[in-house]
Amino acid sequence: MSRSTTKPSLLHGLAAVSFSATAGAAAALILTACSPGSTAATDDPAPQSSPAPQGLLTEAAAEKIVDTFQSVNNRANAVRDAKLLGTVEAGQVYEQDSADYKLFKTWPTKEQKTYTQAFTYEDREYLIPPASSGANWFAVTSSPSDDPKGNRRSLAVFDKVGDTYKLVMALWTDMKSIPKIDTDRHGFISPVDPAKKVGTLAPNEISAVYEDFFETGGKTASHKLASTPTTKESVRIYKVRNDGDAGTWSTTRFFAADPAHPKVYALRLENGGVLALVPTAHTEEQILKPAYMGNFLITPSKREAVFGNTRRTVITNEYQGQAIVELPRTGKPLAHDLEYQLVDSR
């Protein structure tokens, strides 16, 4: 997972609820005492109290998983070892972070130095589902040690990949606008089926809808998703796509793409809505205008050249992303946080 200082473009946040139940604790069995040979109350045994439900894992086990990730992540970041990182990371976040390693040489010296310094996840709040939910993932929010003022929080999901829990999605947020996550009396969260509609959309429908902001400026998406700073920024990118000198000799367009890892993670909010972590993806195509086709070639940018430095008539860039989206019971879903990374250029 990248440091908060290297991916600062995300918005708003989450009020987390700490996990407090002791998974696996069983209540004592209470029996009515009788003297030998007595028949009193033998036909009416005292009721048993139900054992407390178990969590997917204990808070101590979750903390160990996060500690291991933190240590390995820091070592991998220091030397940009994607294979090492892959032992503790997968999913969309790995698509982005392994691309970070490739793009590292194009970053300013100050940003490189910050990225390679070790950091820790402070003030953690674990969001653990009950074992009975069938979910194989848990979440955690935390503050990074390189943000002493506590302006940002991370929301991270660890899912079971094979036999190992790995970080699969992670976004930075400022914890101000998202309602509190719902927990039961044992402190467990309530995972939600991503295919189940919440109001007008299901969590697993968000990605395809959102990419319309890049493809058309939101002709369809603006009617289905609420206007937020995140959607406004996406529309701005669409509007300026052909500005500048490059727009005189080339045309740039965006196309929705399939996320590399399509799994959506959703959990219930205290107000009855749903919070979803959604994978997103699109391609960006820059193509020479017909009048320039026979005589010119496009030179890749410094970042694009990392993946392919051949001059060409068409440059196609692939972006893989993640988003935090709130789906209220009524009204349009709100995209609170969104992040893309260039992962290929051809």
Side-chain angles (χ1 to χ4, degrees):
M1 180 183 181
S2 299
R3 305 171 66 87
S4 63
T5 51
T6 63
K7 291 188 179 179
S9 61
L10 307 180
L11 308 168
H12 306 310
L14 164 73
V17 181
S18 62
F19 168 77
S20 59
T22 303
L29 182 64
I30 303 174
L31 299 175
T32 301
C34 299
S35 60
S38 170
T39 59
T42 56
D43 294 331
D44 298 298
Q48 302 179 40
S49 59
S50 299
Q54 292 186 334
L56 173 65
L57 71 174
T58 65
E59 182 175 346
E63 183 152 11
K64 185 177 180 180
I65 290 167
V66 177
D67 284 344
T68 298
F69 167 78
Q70 177 180 272
S71 174
V72 174
N73 176 70
N74 280 329
R75 287 191 285 124
N77 284 353
V79 294
R80 277 77 65 203
D81 187 338
K83 185 176 180 179
L84 176 61
L85 184 66
T87 63
V88 293
E89 199 171 284
Q92 287 296 96
V93 70
Y94 182 71
E95 292 293 323
Q96 293 182 325
D97 287 348
S98 56
D100 278 348
Y101 289 177
K102 295 176 182 178
L103 294 166
F104 180 85
K105 61 186 178 183
T106 69
W107 298 353
T109 302
K110 182 178 179 180
E111 191 171 335
Q112 290 181 351
K113 182 178 180 180
T114 299
Y115 189 88
T116 55
Q117 291 176 342
F119 73 110
T120 56
Y121 298 96
E122 305 293 336
D123 190 26
R124 301 175 191 171
E125 302 283 353
Y126 294 96
L127 305 171
I128 298 176
S132 59
S133 69
N136 287 322
W137 57 273
F138 70 93
V140 59
T141 68
S142 63
S143 297
S145 57
D146 59 358
D147 183 14
K149 294 184 180 180
N151 294 322
R152 304 185 68 74
R153 294 281 287 178
S154 70
L155 173 59
V157 172
F158 288 80
D159 199 353
K160 208 161 192 180
V161 181
D163 295 326
T164 305
Y165 279 103
K166 294 185 178 183
L167 180 73
V168 292
M169 297 193 83
L171 287 160
W172 294 102
T173 168
D174 66 12
M175 294 193 65
K176 290 182 180 178
S177 64
I178 297 175
K180 290 184 178 180
I181 292 171
D182 182 51
T183 57
D184 63 20
R185 63 190 182 90
H186 301 285
F188 297 129
I189 62 170
S190 299
V192 173
D193 179 1
K196 185 176 181 180
K197 286 189 181 295
V198 184
T200 58
L201 290 171
N204 65 3
E205 295 176 321
I206 295 293
S207 178
V209 171
Y210 194 91
E211 293 302 333
D212 179 67
F213 285 117
F214 293 100
E215 289 186 297
T216 72
K219 290 181 180 178
T220 298
S222 61
H223 298 291
K224 295 184 177 182
L225 299 176
S227 177
T228 65
T230 297
T231 64
K232 290 177 181 177
E233 174 61 14
S234 298
V235 172
R236 185 195 68 80
I237 291 172
Y238 169 80
K239 289 181 176 178
V240 303
R241 69 196 186 284
N242 288 311
D243 287 359
D245 293 339
T248 62
W249 46 264
S250 69
T251 300
T252 296
R253 296 181 295 177
F254 296 93
F255 302 92
D258 294 330
H261 304 274
K263 188 170 181 178
V264 174
Y265 300 87
L267 60 161
R268 186 75 59 193
L269 292 170
E270 200 173 76
N271 64 8
V274 168
L275 183 68
L277 283 89
V278 178
T280 56
H282 61 249
T283 57
E284 174 190 27
E285 179 186 87
Q286 182 186 12
I287 183 170
L288 285 172
K289 291 181 177 179
Y292 296 90
M293 273 288 186
N295 303 306
F296 295 89
L297 293 171
I298 304 173
T299 300
S301 69
K302 190 175 181 181
R303 280 162 50 85
E304 292 165 343
V306 169
F307 303 97
N309 61 5
T310 304
R311 299 173 69 223
R312 44 201 185 266
T313 59
V314 181
I315 290 182
T316 301
N317 295 327
E318 178 186 342
Y319 291 87
Q320 292 289 335
Q322 309 170 70
I324 294 177
V325 181
E326 177 191 349
L327 294 89
R329 288 183 297 174
T330 59
K332 299 176 181 178
L334 299 93
H336 289 287
D337 233 330
L338 182 69
E339 177 181 287
Y340 289 95
Q341 178 58 287
L342 176 68
V343 300
D344 190 29
S345 182
R346 50 193 182 275

